[in-house]
């Protein structure tokens, strides 16, 4: 099922479809690339904790970690830009079953 608001710029609708709809080819590719990026990012952090690897590859690993951090930030900005109500989508919510004070 495809949800695309009609009174928005088409580029925002395209980003929405890619990020939130996994039943499209680009949506599937986006999901796969995101999962792989998360795995490689965690692997880089893990490798950086090994003294021998850090000694030899520390600068490169820090560079890679920054690239992933910037990439994840851009992904988050794309999510916010593509939704209909960015404020509601980006603010934290209380867990289900709890009451907000």
């Amino acid at each position: 099922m495809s949800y695309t608001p009609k009174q928005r710029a088409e580029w925002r609708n395209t980003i929405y479809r890619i990020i939130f709809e996994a039943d499209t080819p680009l949506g599937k590719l986006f999901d796969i690339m995101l999962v792989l990026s998360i795995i490689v990012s965690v692997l880089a952090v893990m490798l950086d904790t090994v003294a021998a690897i850090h000694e030899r590859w520390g600068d490169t690993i820090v560079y890679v970690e920054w690239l992933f951090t910037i990439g994840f930030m851009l992904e988050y900005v794309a999510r916010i830009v593509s939704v209909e109500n960015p404020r509601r989508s980006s603010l934290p919510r209380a867990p289900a079953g709890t009451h907000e004070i």
Side-chain angles (χ1 to χ4, degrees):
M1 176 187 258
S2 179
Y3 167 77
T4 51
K6 294 184 177 166
Q7 297 180 359
R8 294 179 358 154
E10 186 57 34
W11 65 268
R12 289 178 71 191
N13 293 334
T14 300
I15 291 172
Y16 182 90
R17 281 191 300 272
I18 292 170
I19 292 176
F20 292 102
E21 296 181 11
D23 59 345
T24 65
L26 282 177
K28 287 179 186 177
L29 178 63
F30 177 82
D31 286 347
I32 291 168
M33 295 305 294
L34 183 60
V35 170
L36 288 175
S37 295
I38 292 167
I39 291 169
V40 173
S41 175
V42 170
L43 183 62
V45 171
M46 290 171 57
L47 289 172
D48 199 34
T49 65
V50 178
I53 294 173
H54 176 77
E55 209 172 292
R56 180 168 181 184
W57 298 99
D59 291 341
T60 302
I61 292 174
V62 168
Y63 177 74
V64 167
E65 289 172 359
W66 271 106
L67 285 177
F68 279 111
T69 300
I70 291 166
F72 292 137
M73 180 200 63
L74 293 174
E75 180 255 344
Y76 184 65
V77 168
R79 285 180 184 274
I80 291 172
V81 167
S82 68
V83 294
E84 190 171 342
N85 187 347
R87 177 173 244 179
R88 185 180 63 180
S89 298
S90 62
L91 293 176
R93 295 182 197 97
T98 63
H99 300 284
E100 293 185 36
I101 298 175

